[in-house]
């Protein structure tokens, strides 16, 4: 069974205790002390850190560079508390980033719950609220601020938190640098930076990079090209800048793998390929102008265009219970007429044919039932998105209600156009796990029928969105060291979907006009109960409008099976999250930086993919309530000269709070299996208190950086994450029987240690090296239950069991894992001048 070694957990815990003891016995100071924090996505209004009623986490460019993390998501996973990655896509640049149990993912259909901003521009894409981490240039990042909770000032999709990224400019980033990196698995990268300014305030900055690696898994290369530039002018009363960014990426993911094959070869893949191509163009005009000593105007106007294409070779689950081997007389005649030869005239079976194809080819020629007789399918999508808008914010630093205050009021208007195309081609599976297409498409014609209905997987959906919002906030200094924060945001959004395949509002049509409005408030209090300690408490509320992909799969009468099809879209409600949190922390300027907090976030009308009782397919619906609550502990300091260290511990409890039925066909606890019909379609009963899959109970981060004189620096970080339920095991009651159900139904805990070093032999030159997963641990970041199409030898196998008493063909189901990367080494050099 594919399980990680649990010993690193004990090592990580011991290291945490040593760190705490060292910090307590030493005169310490915080490595990165941020005294003020922005309170909205738009720069221009900062308040003292001690006035923020939340456990805000900050990092700067030097922290990212020193960690040698591959990208922003990898850095967050290593250094920020309550963050962990689920690498479901199987590519290091396509992770699901989870914070407090809320996700920012590049995968359509994922329940998104985090918002991401860069220089005040929301980067969640209009179609599905997805976040493409591969489009964010790490080298251009000046600072990041992770704001927890449902802060309404950060707008839609801020359910669990908001990440605000600020980019560099030529005023602080001066000079030129060139960098080259090489490493394991064919990794090679080059990067440049250049920045400067004049005495008159003109400033400029540019960075670009080219990244390639072959990947550590079979057929999993990645190619990334990014270019970022900013031109601006700073004066005594403000700043104005124009930013442009381009990105072109091609990422092979290859997804989850079944546990039996991971045990034999960690680099193996289930099916291939899984390719995502992104092209992005970004333009942002930003300004900040002091109108007087108390009033500041800031804002931006932006435009963003993204083209995404996917090409995925998958197993066709509809064929797993079919007879796929010996062609019939009619099929042999069709093959002969089409000029094929070499097909069997009799006797082909699973015993003598590891990868059948002839019935698939013949059925495609006959246009009869290739959707049931072809064991492979090639799914393709194309998405074009244009997103543009303007935000203006007026800041006021002066008395309010007779009290010292920092306040803001603003408005935003965001518009988007999206066009999504989806189609599929049936084919047969090859021994190398690739799919060969046979010209039978999911177009309702050439793909024949499936269960008597035309095989049609096409989607041609155009959508327009408009979001208008007003927001305001004030931080009142009500007493010495005590602040009250009041804020709110009113959002009004419209979604207009038009279906080019089934226009009109009839059954199966994606046409729809939807409106969503809501005022979300927040209130918080900070104070100093004793000298050197700052306490906070707050309640805030955020919301998310249903995305087009959810509105396109919301009709119980027309269930769909994501991501292969959409169905009709009756209205869905907004998701509303209320977060309460409280805690204590060291006051600004304290020698040791620490914080201890608790939080509870309740989702109302959460969106969940729910099973259809009759077909086993499903649809999105509003789901009563879910809850994420937990405890967070963080500490950082400098226990000795040149040594900086920190730790973050999170205890997370994420549960369903409402009863529901979901698809559980691959769980041994589904209703059919409990009734004695094992291996067939069934549903799971969720009960209040059942844990949400993929969310671990415990997370521990440790890091340390050591400077040795001026030439050498060493660093290390350890990430320890507890086990979590597999998706498909929502009630946690799956138990493998070794026959119909394989695997544990959960991923085990793991710990990973990374080390790095840098050497500066002369001024301007830096040589650096990094070893990731130093102990070469085998681990998995996520798990999912699903039907498997292979026998123990790795050969394709349909109809693995005889028909049951009801005439249904049971399937074999397994636990699939997202394997973590093995040990890798990279080296590089950077020259600055």
């Amino acid at each position: 069974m594919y399980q990680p070694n649990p010993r690193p957990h004990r090592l990580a815990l011991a290291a945490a205790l040593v760190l705490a003891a060292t910090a307590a016995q030493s005169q310490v100071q915080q490595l990165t002390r941020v005294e003020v924090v922005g309170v909205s996505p738009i720069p221009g209004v900062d308040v003292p850190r001690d006035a923020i009623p939340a456990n805000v986490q900050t990092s700067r460019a030097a922290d990212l560079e020193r960690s040698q993390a591959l990208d922003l998501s990898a850095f967050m996973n290593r250094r920020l508390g309550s963050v962990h990655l689920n690498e479901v896509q199987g590519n290091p640049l396509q992770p699901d980033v989870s914070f407090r149990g809320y996700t920012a993912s590049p995968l359509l259909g994922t329940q998104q719950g985090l918002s991401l901003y860069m220089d005040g521009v929301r980067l969640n894409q209009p179609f599905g609220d997805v976040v493409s981490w591969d489009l964010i240039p790490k080298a251009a990042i000046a600072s990041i601020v992770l704001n927890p909770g449902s802060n309404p000032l950060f707008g839609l999709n801020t359910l669990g938190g908001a990440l605000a990224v600020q980019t560099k400019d030529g005023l602080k980033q001066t000079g030129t640098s060139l960098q080259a990196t090489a490493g394991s698995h064919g990794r090679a990268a080059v990067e440049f930076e250049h920045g400067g300014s004049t005495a008159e305030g003109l400033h400029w900055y540019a960075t670009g990079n080219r990244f390639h690696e072959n990947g550590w898994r079979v057929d999993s290369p990645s190619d990334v090209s990014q270019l970022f530039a900013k031109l601006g002018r700073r004066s005594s009363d403000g700043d104005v800048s124009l930013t442009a960014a381009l990105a072109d990426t091609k990422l092979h993911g290859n997804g989850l793998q079944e546990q039996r094959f991971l045990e034999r070869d960690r680099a193996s893949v289930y099916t291939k390929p899984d390719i995502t191509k992104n092209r992005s163009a970004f333009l942002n005009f930003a300004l900040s102008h002091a109108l007087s000593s108390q009033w500041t105007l800031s804002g931006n106007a932006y435009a963003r265009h993204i083209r995404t294409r996917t090409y995925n070779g998958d197993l066709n689950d509809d064929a797993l219970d079919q007879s796929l081997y010996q062609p019939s007389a009619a099929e042999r005649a069709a093959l002969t007429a089409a000029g094929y030869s070499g097909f069997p005239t009799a006797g082909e079976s699973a015993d003598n044919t590891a990868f059948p194809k002839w019935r698939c080819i013949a059925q495609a020629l006959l246009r009869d039932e290739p959707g049931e007789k072809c064991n492979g399918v090639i799914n393709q999508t194309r998405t074009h998105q244009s997103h543009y808008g303007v935000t203006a914010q007026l800041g006021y630093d002066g008395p309010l209600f007779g009290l010292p205050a920092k306040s803001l009021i603003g408005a935003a208007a965001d518009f988007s156009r999206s066009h999504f195309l989806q189609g599929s081609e049936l084919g047969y599976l090859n021994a190398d796990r690739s799919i060969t297409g046979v010209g039978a498409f999911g177009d309702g014609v050439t793909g024949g029928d499936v269960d008597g209905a035309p095989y049609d997987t096409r989607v041609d959906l155009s959508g327009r969105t408009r979001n208008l919002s007003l927001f305001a906030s004030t931080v009142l200094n009500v007493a010495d060291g005590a602040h009250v924060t009041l804020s709110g945001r009113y959002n009004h959004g419209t979604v207009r979907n038009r279906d080019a395949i089934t226009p009109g509002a009839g059954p199966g049509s994606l046409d729809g006009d939807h409106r969503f409005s809501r005022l979300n408030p927040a209130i918080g209090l900070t104070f100093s109960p004793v000298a050197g300690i700052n306490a906070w408490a707050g309640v805030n509320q955020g919301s998310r409008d249903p995305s087009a992909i959810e509105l396109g799969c919301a009709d119980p009468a027309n269930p769909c099976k994501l991501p292969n099809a959409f169905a009709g879209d009756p209205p869905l409600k907004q998701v509303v999250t209320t977060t309460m949190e409280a805690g204590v922390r060291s006051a600004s300027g304290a020698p040791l930086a620490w914080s201890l907090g608790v939080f509870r976030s309740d989702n109302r009308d959460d969106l969940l993919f729910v099973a259809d009782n009759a077909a086993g397919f499903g649809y999105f619906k509003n789901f009563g309530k879910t809850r994420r609550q937990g405890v967070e502990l963080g500490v950082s300091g400098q226990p000795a000269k040149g040594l900086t260290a920190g730790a973050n511990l999170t205890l997370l409890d994420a549960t369903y709070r409402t009863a529901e039925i979901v698809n559980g066909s691959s769980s041994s606890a589904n209703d059919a299996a409990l009734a004695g019909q094992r291996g067939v379609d069934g549903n799971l009963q969720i009960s209040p208190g059942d844990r949400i899959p993929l969310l671990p109970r415990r997370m521990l981060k440790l890091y340390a950086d050591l400077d040795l004189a001026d030439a050498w620096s060493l660093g290390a970080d350890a990430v320890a994450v507890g086990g979590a339920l597999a998706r498909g095991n929502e009630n946690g009651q799956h138990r493998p029987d070794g026959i119909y159900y394989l695997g544990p139904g959960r991923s085990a805990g793991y710990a990973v240690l990374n080390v790095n070093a840098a050497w500066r032999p002369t001024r301007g030159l830096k040589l650096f090296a990094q070893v990731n997963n130093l102990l070469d641990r085998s681990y998995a970041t996520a798990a999912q239950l699903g039907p498997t199409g292979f026998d123990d030898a790795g050969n394709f196998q349909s109809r693995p069991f005889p028909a049951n008493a009801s005439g249904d063909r049971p399937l074999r189901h397994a636990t699939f894992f997202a394997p973590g990367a093995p040990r890798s080494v990279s080296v590089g050099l950077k020259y600055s001048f």
Side-chain angles (χ1 to χ4, degrees), residues 179 181 188-192 208-213 222-226 248:
Q179 179 175 303
T181 307
V190 293
E191 177 183 299
F192 80 89
N209 67 82
R210 179 77 173 89
F211 172 88
H212 170 80
E213 72 169 14
S222 298
D223 288 278
V224 176
S225 299
Q226 296 173 332
D248 187 352

Side-chain angles (χ1 to χ4, degrees), residues 17 23 114 125 145 206 299 314 356 396 478 546 662 665 719 763 775 777:
L17 296 175
L114 303 176
Q125 297 171 24
V145 179
D314 301 316
Y396 172 65
V478 296
V662 298
S665 295
V719 178
R763 182 177 179 180
L775 304 179
R777 298 300 187 191

Side-chain angles (χ1 to χ4, degrees), residues 215-278:
W216 66 273
R217 296 181 69 186
V218 172
D219 291 336
S220 58
S222 298
D223 288 278
V224 176
S225 299
Q226 296 173 332
L227 184 63
F228 177 94
K230 180 185 289 186
L231 177 65
R233 183 178 182 85
R234 177 75 55 86
S235 64
S236 60
D237 56 2
D239 188 22
V240 61
S241 64
L242 180 65
T243 299
L246 300 173
D248 187 352
T249 69
K250 182 180 180 181
L251 309 177
H252 289 64
N254 296 327
L256 305 174
Q257 173 62 304
E258 204 226 289
Q259 86 274 1
R260 291 178 297 171
F261 309 124
L262 282 177
E263 291 171 358
R264 302 173 192 173
D265 183 1
R266 290 175 65 188
S268 64
V269 298
Y270 190 68
T271 59
K272 66 177 186 178
D274 188 337
I275 305 171
T276 301
K277 297 180 181 180
N278 280 319

Side-chain angles (χ1 to χ4, degrees), residues 10 30 56 67 71 89 130 158 205 226 290 369 388 409 412 429 450 457 480 516 518 561 625 660 682 799 804 813:
R10 297 195 290 270
Q30 186 183 11
V56 175
S67 74
D71 70 341
Q89 289 292 89
V130 302
T158 307
Y205 171 80
Q226 296 173 332
E369 294 179 336
Y388 48 95
I409 185 171
L429 181 70
V450 174
T457 62
D480 186 22
F516 305 95
R518 185 169 180 84
K561 192 173 185 180
K625 291 179 64 176
E660 189 55 84
R799 292 190 170 182
N804 60 24
H813 302 265

Side-chain angles (χ1 to χ4, degrees), residues 341-367:
S341 61
F343 51 84
T345 58
E348 181 177 281
S349 67
D351 294 331
N352 56 35
T353 306
F355 295 92
K357 66 178 183 179
W358 291 112
R359 289 209 71 188
C360 171
I361 297 172
Q363 285 288 316
L365 294 171
L366 295 171
R367 296 188 178 181

Side-chain angles (χ1 to χ4, degrees), residues 112-159:
Q112 310 286 344
L114 303 176
S115 59
L116 171 62
Y117 287 84
M118 186 173 75
D119 292 340
V121 178
R122 186 173 182 264
L123 296 188
N124 297 74
Q125 297 171 24
F127 193 76
D129 282 326
V130 302
V131 173
S132 296
W133 299 100
D134 55 304
L135 302 182
I136 303 173
K138 186 190 76 169
I141 296 175
S143 66
I144 63 173
V145 179
L146 181 55
N147 299 271
S150 314
N151 189 335
L153 292 182
F154 286 85
L156 295 175
N157 218 68
T158 307
L159 305 182

Side-chain angles (χ1 to χ4, degrees), residues 461 495-499 504-505 509-514 551 569:
L461 177 65
V495 180
R496 181 180 183 271
N497 285 344
R498 291 297 179 264
D499 188 347
S509 175
L510 306 182
D511 281 5
D513 293 283
H514 312 271
L551 292 168
D569 54 339

